[in-house]
Amino acid sequence: MNPVARAVLLIAFDLAAMLMLLLVLTYLGMSHVFLLVAGILFFWVTVYDSRTGRLSALFALIFSLPGPAEKGRLNWIPALLSLVLIIYSIPLLIKHGMVNQIQRVSMQAGLFPRFAIYAIAATSVVAAIAVYTVIFYRGKR
């Protein structure tokens, strides 16, 4: 299988799996816990990779993509977005605890299908941008 196609499949599978987990936890009223854990994990991975470059190099090696870009001005964006997730979800966790009863009741009372449609649409846009980026930078090699 083509390395770019493997990377595209990995991106699509990863985003779909995260979307499914988010939808299940949203239905149960625990989406803020997912956002907090994801934010902490992404922040740790981003900081680790920005210091060592090992994860980017490994990803590039596995999928035969161009090597990781030099550390530029935009490399702080993933860490900033991870911090936004953490800052957003901590007050919700403090206020509601592990289960946000208001969210759980509203999702189970009929709001879930509308939320799911918007979440699927947003995930599709993010996946399309990620796939375009992989394909675009593969051509610049």
Side-chain angles (χ1 to χ4, degrees), residues 14-84:
D14 177 50
L15 290 174
M18 288 182 60
L19 174 65
M20 292 302 122
L21 184 59
L22 176 64
L23 289 176
V24 167
L25 290 175
T26 299
Y27 188 77
L28 298 174
M30 299 175 65
S31 62
H32 59 288
V33 175
F34 172 76
L35 293 177
L36 179 63
V37 171
I40 291 170
L41 179 67
F42 294 153
F43 184 74
W44 180 80
V45 167
T46 302
V47 170
Y48 176 76
D49 191 50
S50 69
R51 300 245 181 210
T52 64
R54 291 179 184 164
L55 299 175
S56 297
L58 181 65
F59 186 80
L61 179 67
I62 290 172
F63 294 105
S64 301
L65 297 171
E70 293 181 20
K71 300 196 182 329
R73 286 189 262 168
L74 297 179
N75 285 348
W76 56 270
I77 291 177
L80 179 66
L81 293 175
S82 299
L83 282 175
V84 168

Coordinates of all heavy atoms in Angstrom, one line a residue, residues 14-84:
D14 N -7.9 7.4 13.2 CA -7.6 8.1 14.4 C -8.8 9.1 14.7 O -9.3 9.1 15.8 CB -6.3 8.8 14.4 CG -6.0 9.6 15.6 OD1 -6.1 9.0 16.7 OD2 -5.6 10.8 15.5
L15 N -9.1 9.9 13.8 CA -10.1 10.9 14.0 C -11.5 10.3 14.2 O -12.3 10.7 15.0 CB -10.2 11.9 12.9 CG -9.0 12.9 12.8 CD1 -9.0 13.8 11.6 CD2 -8.9 13.8 14.1
A16 N -11.8 9.2 13.5 CA -13.1 8.5 13.6 C -13.2 7.9 15.0 O -14.2 8.0 15.7 CB -13.3 7.5 12.5
A17 N -12.1 7.3 15.5 CA -12.1 6.7 16.8 C -12.3 7.7 17.9 O -13.0 7.5 18.9 CB -10.8 5.9 17.0
M18 N -11.6 8.8 17.8 CA -11.7 9.9 18.7 C -13.1 10.5 18.7 O -13.7 10.8 19.8 CB -10.7 11.0 18.5 CG -9.3 10.6 18.9 SD -8.1 11.9 18.7 CE -8.7 13.1 19.8
L19 N -13.7 10.6 17.5 CA -15.1 11.1 17.4 C -16.1 10.1 18.1 O -17.0 10.6 18.8 CB -15.5 11.3 16.0 CG -16.9 11.7 15.7 CD1 -17.3 13.0 16.3 CD2 -17.3 11.6 14.2
M20 N -15.9 8.9 17.9 CA -16.8 7.9 18.5 C -16.7 7.9 20.0 O -17.7 7.9 20.7 CB -16.5 6.5 18.0 CG -16.9 6.2 16.5 SD -18.6 6.6 16.2 CE -18.4 7.8 15.0
L21 N -15.5 8.0 20.5 CA -15.3 8.1 22.0 C -15.9 9.4 22.5 O -16.6 9.4 23.6 CB -13.8 8.0 22.3 CG -13.4 8.0 23.8 CD1 -14.1 6.8 24.5 CD2 -11.9 8.0 24.0
L22 N -15.7 10.5 21.8 CA -16.3 11.8 22.2 C -17.9 11.7 22.2 O -18.5 12.1 23.2 CB -15.9 12.9 21.4 CG -16.5 14.3 21.6 CD1 -16.2 14.8 23.0 CD2 -16.1 15.3 20.6
L23 N -18.4 11.0 21.2 CA -19.9 10.9 21.1 C -20.4 10.1 22.3 O -21.5 10.4 22.9 CB -20.3 10.4 19.8 CG -20.2 11.3 18.6 CD1 -20.5 10.6 17.3 CD2 -21.0 12.6 18.8
V24 N -19.8 9.0 22.6 CA -20.2 8.1 23.7 C -20.2 8.9 25.0 O -21.1 8.8 25.8 CB -19.4 6.8 23.7 CG1 -19.6 6.0 25.0 CG2 -19.8 5.9 22.5
L25 N -19.0 9.5 25.2 CA -18.9 10.2 26.5 C -19.8 11.5 26.6 O -20.3 11.8 27.7 CB -17.4 10.6 26.7 CG -16.5 9.4 27.0 CD1 -15.1 9.9 27.1 CD2 -16.9 8.7 28.3
T26 N -20.1 12.1 25.5 CA -21.1 13.2 25.5 C -22.5 12.7 25.8 O -23.2 13.3 26.6 CB -21.1 13.9 24.1 OG1 -19.8 14.4 23.8 CG2 -22.1 15.0 24.0
Y27 N -22.8 11.5 25.3 CA -24.1 11.0 25.6 C -24.2 10.6 27.1 O -25.3 10.7 27.6 CB -24.3 9.7 24.7 CG -25.7 9.1 24.8 CD1 -26.8 9.7 24.2 CD2 -25.9 8.0 25.6 CE1 -28.1 9.2 24.3 CE2 -27.2 7.4 25.7 CZ -28.3 8.0 25.1 OH -29.5 7.5 25.2
L28 N -23.1 10.3 27.7 CA -23.1 9.9 29.1 C -22.9 11.2 30.0 O -22.9 11.0 31.2 CB -22.1 8.9 29.4 CG -22.3 7.5 28.7 CD1 -21.1 6.6 28.9 CD2 -23.6 6.9 29.1
G29 N -22.6 12.3 29.4 CA -22.4 13.5 30.1 C -21.0 13.7 30.7 O -20.8 14.4 31.6
M30 N -20.0 13.1 30.0 CA -18.7 13.1 30.4 C -17.7 13.7 29.4 O -16.5 13.3 29.4 CB -18.2 11.7 30.8 CG -19.0 11.1 32.0 SD -18.6 9.4 32.4 CE -16.9 9.6 32.9
S31 N -18.2 14.5 28.5 CA -17.3 15.0 27.4 C -16.2 15.9 28.0 O -15.1 15.9 27.4 CB -18.1 15.8 26.4 OG -18.7 16.9 27.0
H32 N -16.4 16.6 29.1 CA -15.4 17.4 29.7 C -14.2 16.6 30.2 O -13.1 17.0 30.1 CB -15.9 18.3 30.7 CG -16.6 17.6 31.9 ND1 -17.8 16.9 31.7 CD2 -16.2 17.4 33.1 CE1 -18.1 16.4 32.9 NE2 -17.2 16.6 33.8
V33 N -14.5 15.4 30.6 CA -13.4 14.5 31.1 C -12.6 14.1 29.9 O -11.3 14.0 29.9 CB -14.0 13.3 31.8 CG1 -12.9 12.3 32.2 CG2 -14.8 13.7 33.1
F34 N -13.2 13.7 28.8 CA -12.5 13.4 27.5 C -11.6 14.5 27.1 O -10.5 14.3 26.7 CB -13.5 13.0 26.4 CG -12.9 12.8 25.1 CD1 -12.1 11.6 24.8 CD2 -13.0 13.8 24.1 CE1 -11.5 11.5 23.6 CE2 -12.4 13.6 22.9 CZ -11.6 12.4 22.6
L35 N -12.2 15.7 27.1 CA -11.4 16.9 26.6 C -10.2 17.2 27.5 O -9.1 17.5 27.0 CB -12.3 18.1 26.6 CG -13.4 18.1 25.5 CD1 -14.3 19.3 25.6 CD2 -12.9 18.0 24.1
L36 N -10.4 17.0 28.8 CA -9.3 17.2 29.7 C -8.2 16.1 29.5 O -7.0 16.5 29.4 CB -9.7 17.1 31.2 CG -8.6 17.3 32.3 CD1 -8.0 18.7 32.2 CD2 -9.2 17.1 33.6
V37 N -8.5 14.9 29.4 CA -7.5 13.8 29.2 C -6.9 14.0 27.9 O -5.6 13.9 27.7 CB -8.2 12.4 29.4 CG1 -7.2 11.3 28.9 CG2 -8.7 12.2 30.8
A38 N -7.6 14.3 26.8 CA -7.1 14.5 25.5 C -6.1 15.7 25.5 O -5.0 15.7 24.9 CB -8.2 14.7 24.5
G39 N -6.5 16.8 26.1 CA -5.7 18.0 26.2 C -4.4 17.7 26.9 O -3.3 18.1 26.4
I40 N -4.4 17.0 28.0 CA -3.2 16.6 28.7 C -2.3 15.7 27.9 O -1.1 16.0 27.8 CB -3.5 16.0 30.1 CG1 -4.1 17.0 31.0 CG2 -2.3 15.4 30.7 CD1 -4.7 16.4 32.3
L41 N -2.9 14.7 27.3 CA -2.1 13.8 26.4 C -1.5 14.5 25.2 O -0.3 14.4 24.9 CB -3.0 12.7 25.9 CG -2.4 11.7 25.0 CD1 -1.3 10.9 25.8 CD2 -3.4 10.7 24.4
F42 N -2.3 15.4 24.5 CA -1.8 16.1 23.4 C -0.7 17.1 23.8 O 0.3 17.3 23.1 CB -2.9 16.8 22.6 CG -3.9 15.9 22.0 CD1 -5.2 16.3 21.8 CD2 -3.6 14.6 21.6 CE1 -6.1 15.5 21.2 CE2 -4.5 13.8 21.0 CZ -5.8 14.2 20.8
F43 N -0.9 17.7 24.9 CA 0.1 18.7 25.4 C 1.4 18.0 25.7 O 2.5 18.4 25.3 CB -0.4 19.4 26.6 CG 0.6 20.5 27.1 CD1 0.7 21.7 26.4 CD2 1.4 20.3 28.2 CE1 1.6 22.7 26.8 CE2 2.2 21.3 28.6 CZ 2.4 22.5 27.9
W44 N 1.4 16.8 26.4 CA 2.6 16.1 26.7 C 3.3 15.6 25.4 O 4.5 15.7 25.3 CB 2.2 14.9 27.6 CG 3.4 14.1 27.9 CD1 4.4 14.4 28.9 CD2 3.9 12.9 27.3 NE1 5.4 13.4 28.9 CE2 5.1 12.5 27.9 CE3 3.4 12.1 26.2 CZ2 5.8 11.4 27.5 CZ3 4.1 11.0 25.9 CH2 5.3 10.6 26.5
V45 N 2.5 15.1 24.5 CA 3.1 14.6 23.2 C 3.7 15.7 22.4 O 4.8 15.6 21.9 CB 2.0 13.9 22.4 CG1 2.5 13.6 20.9 CG2 1.6 12.5 23.0
T46 N 3.1 16.9 22.4 CA 3.6 18.0 21.7 C 4.9 18.6 22.3 O 5.8 18.8 21.6 CB 2.5 19.2 21.7 OG1 1.3 18.7 21.1 CG2 3.0 20.4 20.9
V47 N 4.9 18.7 23.6 CA 6.1 19.2 24.3 C 7.2 18.2 24.1 O 8.4 18.5 23.8 CB 5.8 19.4 25.8 CG1 7.1 19.7 26.5 CG2 4.9 20.6 25.9
Y48 N 6.9 16.9 24.3 CA 8.0 15.8 24.1 C 8.5 15.9 22.7 O 9.8 15.8 22.4 CB 7.4 14.5 24.4 CG 8.3 13.3 24.1 CD1 9.4 13.1 25.0 CD2 8.2 12.5 23.0 CE1 10.3 12.0 24.8 CE2 9.1 11.5 22.8 CZ 10.1 11.2 23.7 OH 11.0 10.2 23.4
D49 N 7.6 16.0 21.7 CA 8.1 16.0 20.3 C 8.8 17.2 19.9 O 9.8 17.2 19.1 CB 6.9 15.7 19.3 CG 7.4 15.4 17.9 OD1 8.3 14.6 17.8 OD2 6.9 16.1 17.0
S50 N 8.4 18.4 20.5 CA 9.1 19.6 20.2 C 10.5 19.6 20.8 O 11.4 20.2 20.2 CB 8.3 20.8 20.7 OG 8.3 20.9 22.1
R51 N 10.7 18.9 21.9 CA 12.1 18.8 22.5 C 13.0 17.8 21.8 O 14.1 18.1 21.6 CB 11.9 18.4 23.9 CG 11.2 19.4 24.7 CD 12.0 20.1 25.7 NE 11.2 21.0 26.5 CZ 11.7 22.1 27.0 NH1 13.0 22.3 26.9 NH2 11.0 22.9 27.7
T52 N 12.4 16.7 21.4 CA 13.2 15.6 20.9 C 13.1 15.4 19.4 O 14.0 15.0 18.7 CB 12.9 14.2 21.5 OG1 11.5 13.9 21.2 CG2 13.1 14.3 23.0
G53 N 11.9 15.6 18.8 CA 11.6 15.4 17.4 C 11.5 13.9 17.1 O 11.4 13.6 15.9
R54 N 11.5 13.1 18.1 CA 11.4 11.6 17.8 C 10.1 11.2 17.2 O 10.1 10.3 16.3 CB 11.7 10.9 19.1 CG 13.1 11.0 19.6 CD 13.3 10.2 20.9 NE 14.6 10.5 21.4 CZ 15.0 10.2 22.6 NH1 14.1 9.7 23.4 NH2 16.2 10.4 23.0
L55 N 9.0 11.7 17.7 CA 7.7 11.2 17.2 C 7.5 11.7 15.8 O 7.0 10.9 14.9 CB 6.6 11.7 18.1 CG 6.7 11.3 19.6 CD1 5.6 11.9 20.4 CD2 6.5 9.8 19.6
S56 N 7.9 12.9 15.4 CA 7.7 13.3 14.0 C 8.6 12.5 13.1 O 8.2 12.2 12.0 CB 8.1 14.8 13.9 OG 7.2 15.6 14.7
A57 N 9.8 12.3 13.6 CA 10.8 11.5 12.7 C 10.2 10.1 12.6 O 10.3 9.5 11.5 CB 12.1 11.5 13.4
L58 N 9.7 9.5 13.6 CA 9.1 8.1 13.5 C 7.9 8.1 12.6 O 7.8 7.2 11.7 CB 8.7 7.6 14.9 CG 8.2 6.2 15.0 CD1 9.2 5.2 14.6 CD2 7.7 6.0 16.4
F59 N 7.1 9.1 12.7 CA 5.9 9.1 11.8 C 6.4 9.3 10.3 O 5.9 8.6 9.4 CB 5.0 10.3 12.2 CG 3.7 10.4 11.4 CD1 2.7 9.6 11.7 CD2 3.6 11.3 10.3 CE1 1.5 9.6 11.0 CE2 2.4 11.3 9.6 CZ 1.3 10.5 10.0
A60 N 7.3 10.1 10.1 CA 7.9 10.3 8.7 C 8.5 9.1 8.2 O 8.4 8.7 7.0 CB 8.9 11.5 8.7
L61 N 9.2 8.3 9.1 CA 9.9 7.1 8.7 C 8.9 6.0 8.3 O 9.0 5.3 7.3 CB 10.9 6.6 9.8 CG 11.6 5.4 9.5 CD1 12.6 5.6 8.4 CD2 12.3 4.9 10.8
I62 N 7.9 5.9 9.2 CA 6.9 4.8 9.0 C 6.1 5.0 7.7 O 5.9 4.1 6.9 CB 5.9 4.7 10.2 CG1 6.7 4.2 11.4 CG2 4.7 3.9 9.8 CD1 5.8 4.2 12.7
F63 N 5.8 6.2 7.4 CA 4.9 6.5 6.2 C 5.7 7.1 5.0 O 5.1 7.6 4.1 CB 3.8 7.4 6.6 CG 2.8 6.8 7.6 CD1 2.8 7.1 8.9 CD2 2.0 5.8 7.1 CE1 2.0 6.5 9.8 CE2 1.1 5.2 8.0 CZ 1.1 5.6 9.3
S64 N 7.0 7.0 5.1 CA 7.9 7.5 4.0 C 7.5 8.9 3.6 O 7.4 9.3 2.4 CB 7.8 6.6 2.8 OG 8.2 5.3 3.1
L65 N 7.3 9.8 4.6 CA 7.0 11.2 4.3 C 8.2 12.0 4.5 O 9.3 11.5 5.0 CB 5.9 11.6 5.3 CG 4.6 10.9 5.2 CD1 3.7 11.3 6.4 CD2 3.9 11.3 3.9
P66 N 8.2 13.3 4.1 CA 9.4 14.1 4.3 C 9.7 14.2 5.8 O 8.8 14.1 6.6 CB 8.9 15.5 3.7 CG 7.8 15.2 2.9 CD 7.1 14.0 3.4
G67 N 10.9 14.4 6.1 CA 11.3 14.5 7.5 C 10.6 15.7 8.2 O 10.1 16.6 7.5
P68 N 10.7 15.7 9.5 CA 10.0 16.8 10.2 C 10.6 18.1 9.8 O 11.8 18.3 9.6 CB 10.2 16.5 11.7 CG 11.3 15.4 11.7 CD 11.3 14.8 10.4
A69 N 9.7 19.1 9.8 CA 10.2 20.5 9.4 C 11.0 21.0 10.6 O 10.9 20.6 11.7 CB 9.0 21.4 9.2
E70 N 11.8 22.0 10.2 CA 12.6 22.6 11.3 C 11.7 23.4 12.2 O 10.6 23.7 11.8 CB 13.6 23.6 10.6 CG 14.7 22.9 9.8 CD 15.6 23.9 9.2 OE1 15.7 25.0 9.7 OE2 16.3 23.6 8.2
K71 N 12.2 23.6 13.4 CA 11.3 24.2 14.4 C 11.1 25.7 13.9 O 12.0 26.5 13.8 CB 12.0 24.2 15.7 CG 12.2 22.8 16.2 CD 12.5 22.7 17.7 CE 12.8 21.4 18.2 NZ 12.2 20.3 17.6
G72 N 9.8 26.0 13.6 CA 9.5 27.3 13.1 C 8.6 28.0 14.0 O 8.4 27.6 15.2
R73 N 8.0 29.0 13.5 CA 7.1 29.9 14.4 C 5.8 29.2 14.7 O 5.1 29.5 15.6 CB 6.9 31.2 13.7 CG 8.1 32.1 13.8 CD 7.7 33.5 13.3 NE 8.1 33.6 11.9 CZ 7.8 34.5 11.1 NH1 7.0 35.5 11.5 NH2 8.2 34.5 9.8
L74 N 5.3 28.3 13.8 CA 4.0 27.7 14.0 C 4.0 26.4 14.9 O 3.0 25.8 15.1 CB 3.4 27.4 12.6 CG 3.1 28.6 11.7 CD1 2.5 28.2 10.4 CD2 2.2 29.6 12.4
N75 N 5.1 26.0 15.3 CA 5.2 24.7 16.1 C 4.6 24.9 17.5 O 4.4 23.9 18.2 CB 6.6 24.2 16.2 CG 7.1 23.6 14.9 OD1 6.3 23.4 14.0 ND2 8.4 23.4 14.8
W76 N 4.3 26.1 17.9 CA 3.7 26.2 19.2 C 2.2 26.1 19.2 O 1.5 26.0 20.2 CB 4.1 27.6 19.8 CG 3.7 28.7 18.9 CD1 4.5 29.3 18.0 CD2 2.5 29.5 18.9 NE1 3.8 30.3 17.3 CE2 2.6 30.4 17.8 CE3 1.3 29.4 19.6 CZ2 1.6 31.3 17.5 CZ3 0.3 30.2 19.3 CH2 0.4 31.2 18.2
I77 N 1.6 26.1 18.0 CA 0.1 26.0 17.9 C -0.5 24.8 18.5 O -1.5 24.9 19.2 CB -0.3 26.2 16.4 CG1 0.0 27.7 16.0 CG2 -1.8 25.9 16.2 CD1 -0.3 28.0 14.6
P78 N 0.0 23.6 18.2 CA -0.6 22.4 18.9 C -0.5 22.5 20.4 O -1.5 22.1 21.1 CB 0.3 21.2 18.4 CG 0.9 21.7 17.1 CD 1.1 23.2 17.3
A79 N 0.6 23.0 21.0 CA 0.6 23.1 22.4 C -0.4 24.1 22.9 O -1.1 23.9 24.0 CB 2.0 23.5 22.9
L80 N -0.6 25.2 22.2 CA -1.6 26.2 22.6 C -3.0 25.6 22.5 O -3.8 25.8 23.4 CB -1.4 27.4 21.7 CG -2.4 28.6 22.0 CD1 -2.1 29.2 23.4 CD2 -2.3 29.6 20.9
L81 N -3.3 24.9 21.5 CA -4.6 24.3 21.4 C -4.9 23.3 22.5 O -6.0 23.1 23.0 CB -4.8 23.7 20.0 CG -4.8 24.7 18.8 CD1 -4.9 24.0 17.5 CD2 -6.0 25.6 19.0
S82 N -3.8 22.5 22.8 CA -4.0 21.6 23.9 C -4.2 22.3 25.3 O -5.0 21.8 26.1 CB -2.7 20.7 24.1 OG -2.5 20.0 22.9
L83 N -3.5 23.4 25.5 CA -3.8 24.2 26.7 C -5.2 24.7 26.7 O -5.8 24.8 27.8 CB -2.7 25.3 26.8 CG -1.4 24.9 27.3 CD1 -0.4 26.1 27.2 CD2 -1.5 24.3 28.7
V84 N -5.7 25.1 25.5 CA -7.1 25.6 25.5 C -8.1 24.5 25.9 O -9.0 24.7 26.7 CB -7.4 26.1 24.1 CG1 -8.9 26.3 23.9 CG2 -6.7 27.4 23.7

